[in-house]
Amino acid sequence: MQISTIAIIGGLGKTGGRVAKHLKDRGINVRAASRSTTPSFDWQDRGTWHAALKGSSAAYVTFQPDLAVAWAAEAISAFANTAVEAGVGHIVLLSGRGEDGAVLSENELKAVGVDYTVLRASWFNQNFSEGAFVDGLRQGKLALPVGDVPEPFVDADDLADVAVEALTNPRHRNQTYELTGPRSLSFRDAVSEIAAASGRAIEYETVPVDAFITELTAAGLPRETTDLLHELFSQVLDGRNSSVMDGVRQVLGRPPRDFSDYAHEAAAAGIWSIQP
Ligand SMILES: NC(=O)c1ccc[n+]([C@@H]2O[C@H](COP(=O)([O-])OP(=O)(O)OC[C@H]3O[C@@H](n4cnc5c(N)ncnc54)[C@H](OP(=O)(O)O)[C@@H]3O)[C@@H](O)[C@H]2O)c1
């Protein structure tokens, strides 16, 4: 298998940044691509896609804002065709679990005929430290429209290790993996573990989804984002994804990282310290 450069679409993000680093550590050329890179890549501007992909033998792809949006499947199909024209022979797509829209996008990718690997991931641990939840946790209270449904949170470092293995080992071509952490815990449990690890009192509150969306709308979030959040919180977190799957072990031959290890490491780095 010949690897030249690997394009990382979303190369500065939670998983893309880690995938780029691990590939570079192995001496593999990478080209991070997003709106702020040169050449730039914007999911909303197809004119940017070919130049960002040209000269790459494979691509790691994180779609924005989420494969659940209505236009995602058509965009993934067009993207994969552009990638083939640009010389890309293998696409590793980061997908979600239990999302109908994500399955449509996966099917469009497979229909193009390019080699693929689909990584269906649970909610990331890093949503609590690098994503939307970090501010609330720092302020001592996270309020979300999720009750006690268990979620097997997965670590972005495990996802990156899996993506690198998928990009560099041909046995993962044309495979789909379900990637979760080693145990399921509720959002309330996760916040308790974060509070214990950081030695702080942090409260978790379950709020009604409609009140949550109204508040985000009042804070100025666009309709597309609030619709997406509504779908994610009201449909995907209904228990359909609560089971633990063994994708990380299948690919890496080792168990996934436990939430508690993640929480202790992030707490030790001061992620959830009280901000002045
Ligand atoms: N978070 C979860 O729990 C979870 C679980 C399962 C699946 N997923 C999927 O993971 C994907 C996100 O991956 P990630 O968390 O690794 O990435 P991320 O951290 O959300 O963001 C990656 C990068 O995307 C770029 N970006 C934003 N809008 C863009 C656009 N219109 N065109 C091109 N780039 C854009 C941003 O860079 P610039 O500002 O430079 O453009 C950002 O650095 C989504 O498809 C999501 O559905 C997430």
Side-chain angles (χ1 to χ4, degrees):
M1 185 177 63
Q2 275 233 309
I3 298 177
S4 56
T5 296
I6 297 183
I8 315 280
I9 307 299
L12 308 174
K14 291 186 286 301
T15 62
R18 288 170 165 85
V19 173
K21 180 179 181 312
H22 294 195
L23 288 171
K24 279 188 212 157
D25 289 347
R26 289 198 186 191
I28 297 170
N29 282 336
V30 301
R31 187 190 295 157
S34 62
R35 295 165 306 177
S36 59
T37 60
T38 307
S40 71
F41 177 96
D42 189 341
W43 282 108
Q44 313 260 8
D45 179 0
R46 295 182 183 192
T48 62
W49 296 358
H50 191 276
L53 291 162
K54 197 163 170 40
S56 298
S57 57
Y60 173 70
V61 178
T62 61
F63 181 76
Q64 291 288 343
D66 191 287
L67 293 175
V69 300
W71 54 278
E74 208 267 313
I76 289 292
S77 174
F79 170 86
N81 279 302
T82 304
V84 170
E85 284 161 26
V88 172
H90 181 207
I91 293 176
V92 175
L93 175 68
L94 179 62
S95 185
R97 294 178 73 215
E99 288 179 27
D100 297 341
V103 174
L104 291 178
S105 294
E106 293 170 10
N107 289 341
E108 290 293 342
L109 170 61
K110 292 172 189 173
V112 169
V114 65
D115 280 352
Y116 67 85
T117 310
V118 170
L119 307 180
R120 285 187 187 154
S122 294
W123 282 59
F124 306 165
N125 294 346
Q126 281 72 13
N127 292 329
F128 294 98
S129 50
E130 298 170 29
F133 307 154
V134 69
D135 286 341
L137 293 165
R138 284 178 181 155
Q139 286 158 22
K141 180 173 172 181
L142 185 62
L144 293 175
V146 197
D148 290 330
V149 60
E151 172 70 16
F153 297 101
V154 67
D155 201 274
D157 281 316
D158 284 337
L159 295 177
D161 285 346
V162 167
V164 168
E165 177 66 14
L167 287 160
T168 55
N169 183 335
R171 95 176 160 91
H172 303 297
R173 293 203 176 198
N174 305 321
Q175 302 294 321
T176 297
Y177 295 106
E178 299 264 345
L179 304 164
T180 75
R183 69 187 161 113
S184 297
L185 60 172
S186 67
F187 279 71
R188 187 181 302 283
D189 296 335
V191 170
S192 293
E193 294 213 12
I194 287 168
S198 7
R200 296 185 51 201
I202 307 177
E203 193 187 333
Y204 180 79
E205 185 188 0
T206 303
V207 292
V209 68
D210 289 337
F212 178 72
I213 295 298
T214 304
E215 198 170 310
L216 294 179
T217 305
L221 257 72
R223 178 71 190 268
E224 188 184 52
T225 309
T226 56
D227 283 353
L228 175 62
L229 289 171
H230 194 282
E231 179 169 340
L232 288 178
F233 281 112
S234 54
Q235 292 180 21
V236 179
L237 283 165
D238 62 357
R240 73 182 74 179
N241 292 333
S242 292
S243 52
V244 167
M245 306 297 280
D246 71 347
V248 171
R249 189 185 284 280
Q250 269 178 278
V251 177
L252 300 176
R254 64 157 175 84
R257 190 182 194 202
D258 192 78
F259 189 87
S260 162
D261 295 339
Y262 151 77
H264 279 94
E265 189 178 300
I271 298 291
W272 299 298
S273 301
I274 296 170
Q275 301 295 300

